Amino acid sequence: MGHMDHFSAGWVTPVLSYAMACVGSALGLRCTVRALEADGASKRNWLLLASLAIGSGIWTMHFIAMMGFSVDGTPIRFDVPITVLSLLMAVAVVAAGVFTAGYGRSRVMSVLLGGLGAGLGVAAMHYTGMAALNLHGEVDYDPMLVIASVAIAVVAATAALTLTLIVRGPVLAAVAALVMGLAVSSMHYTAMYAVNISLAPSSASLPGATATEFIFPLAVLLGSFLFLAAAYVALSPTGKRHESAAAAELLREVELTTA
């Protein structure tokens, strides 16, 4: 059994990865709200930006955290095509949830399905990203912790989306982003504690790239995109009246559903 260290780079990787998850979540959730104010192509574009923001944010979080992951007795390499696939999968699955939330007629059902899609997107990205791991040994998982990790992602993503769609000020918007960031980070480390590695010592070279050769430059690129996109959203005019109407509609549906 290979001894795993999830914090081999100290607290830099978990703190930075959480920060990136919060930035991507804040941007994506805000874009989702802006989509509710818009129609036609503008609505679609806001939802696309939301999908890209959340998808790239959770991907960046995962692989920054993975830069602090090490296993005694074996080097670690990452399969480049599968790593890229994990990014595309994150964006695609999150997009399914976000577009459901944006176009659904029933706001309550949209939030539930949107949270399910976003949560499954987090899980799909994580386990696809783990499939990119190359080391001298075999990787398997504790099934109960895997289920717990997926449940954490879905529940917290749904909570964050609910907070976003009833948001009435910057405080709840910040809380929603922190909840979503916490969901992504909690899901990641729960899933990592589900990992078991059986070493097969070898002197053969491993295929793939190291984290610093591939993941770090791509994470910097995606992080730059998130901050630039956040600046664009912050400088774009808002429609407070439409936002309040969307919040009121959601509250009415919740009251009818629970009555």
Side-chain angles (χ1 to χ4, degrees), residues 65-80:
M66 288 302 291
M67 293 180 71
F69 177 70
S70 65
V71 181
D72 290 347
T74 178
I76 294 176
R77 298 291 184 271
F78 295 89
D79 183 286
V80 173

Side-chain angles (χ1 to χ4, degrees), residues 48-74:
L48 283 173
L49 183 56
S51 304
L52 287 170
I54 297 175
S56 59
I58 62 179
W59 186 95
T60 304
M61 177 274 144
H62 172 82
F63 281 104
I64 288 178
M66 288 302 291
M67 293 180 71
F69 177 70
S70 65
V71 181
D72 290 347
T74 178

